[in-house]
Amino acid sequence: MPVQVLLSVHSRHVANYCRLLKDELASHSIETDIHIETDTPALIDYIIYSPDGPIHDFTPFTQLKAILSLWAGVETLVRNQTVPCPIVRMVESGMQEGMTEWVTGHVLRHHLGLDEVLDGQDGVWRQRQLMPPLARDRCVAVMGLGALGSPCALSLRTLNFNVIGWSRTAKEMAGIECRHGQDGLYSTVADAEIIVLLLPHTSATENIVNSDLLARFRQNSVLINSGRGALIDDKALLAALDSGHLKHATLDVFREEPLPLDHPFWNHHAVTVSPHIAADTRAQSAMSMIGENINRGERGRTFLNLVDRTLGY
Ligand code: NAP
């Protein structure tokens, strides 16, 4: 019997994903039926899932071999008590490139003081005040050295920034000072002038940027969050910005999305609101990864990018 795949994704993606996935699975010589809905859930082998798709209750899918997430962040799936099978998260080159470009761009914005230049079109020649330092004299921290944090850290290193990376387990990366654990966390935020959050949202990382940690940040430092909104205690961040301890926060992700109109971030002079655009899943490379994982599943091999449900990522 052909492999039964159910696409539970937003309707705008269905036609494109179907076409790309068919080609991808054909290249692995896997005979497949691709469904966008089903009356026989017990026959489905794989669900391709995104949180904005129709399926959230997996109870009827009794024979699932894996849920293949189109998103890198899997906090919703990990907490879903009806998930009966392994969860595979999305790691794909398009998303990695997108995140690297977005993070590098926003770090350069703050490093070069681009806002001050753009705001200074008033006839005053501020050469001395606005001359930027070199990247080699700037310390940037990347918190989370996974599929997305690692290429960001390497890109910043290539530009000659002093890069500190922080992760749960100890790591070695050429040219990057890797730290881990609680001591590593405190020293990282104390040393860096620009801090990039690329951690997953888990029980261990929720509110990790709270008033205690913010007090340990360097005076005048900048926070860039493209991980998840729940990493930050919003009130504590606003207090740190209001007091001038932090210079700016560039936020791409929020506890509630879209960010509510009355949220103080929208009108805060030291906050940039970015509407969750740092790194989209790119259809071609994502379907290639999903094809590879279905191929692995069908041949009894270990899935790539399997989620550890105990750790939550
Ligand atoms: P990943 O490969 O799973 O990497 C996660 C990193 O975080 C790893 O280095 C991990 O440490 C570290 N980590 C996890 N828990 C930690 C803890 N308690 N303390 C210290 N470090 C911890 O994830 P990814 O693919 O890089 O994605 C990261 C996040 O980016 C996703 O979870 C998602 O929320 C977010 N994201 C955002 C967008 C966007 O458009 N804004 C797009 C895609 C993804 P170890 O290496 O030691 O395991």
Side-chain angles (χ1 to χ4, degrees), residues 120-148:
Q121 306 298 302
D122 53 3
V124 180
W125 188 255
R126 298 182 178 86
Q127 188 181 37
R128 280 183 192 283
Q129 298 97 302
L130 295 181
M131 188 69 74
L134 287 174
R136 73 159 83 111
D137 296 321
R138 179 86 72 190
C139 182
V140 181
V142 179
M143 300 182 51
L145 288 176
L148 298 174

Side-chain angles (χ1 to χ4, degrees), residues 153-214:
L154 290 169
S155 163
L156 294 167
R157 181 62 209 135
T158 302
L159 288 173
N160 235 5
F161 285 104
N162 287 309
V163 183
I164 304 173
W166 184 73
S167 54
R168 189 178 57 82
T169 56
K171 295 216 177 317
E172 280 185 23
M173 286 175 69
I176 292 169
E177 194 183 331
C178 294
R179 301 179 185 173
H180 69 283
Q182 196 72 10
D183 289 349
L185 173 63
Y186 290 160
S187 66
T188 298
V189 299
D191 289 346
E193 296 160 86
I194 302 175
I195 293 165
V196 179
L197 293 183
L198 266 170
L199 295 163
H201 173 201
T202 68
S203 53
T205 62
E206 184 159 336
N207 286 324
I208 191 167
V209 180
N210 53 27
S211 53
D212 172 55
L213 192 70
L214 284 162

Side-chain angles (χ1 to χ4, degrees), residues 17 92-95 98-99 277-287:
Y17 283 176
E92 56 95 359
S93 57
M95 187 189 289
M99 185 61 84
I277 52 170
D280 202 2
T281 300
R282 308 290 160 161
Q284 181 91 53
S285 33
M287 288 307 115

Side-chain angles (χ1 to χ4, degrees), residues 232-255:
I232 297 177
D233 175 339
D234 291 359
K235 280 195 179 143
L237 175 60
L238 285 164
L241 291 163
D242 287 339
S243 71
H245 183 55
L246 254 67
K247 184 178 177 194
H248 196 94
T250 294
L251 309 173
D252 185 58
V253 282
F254 304 90
R255 282 171 185 275

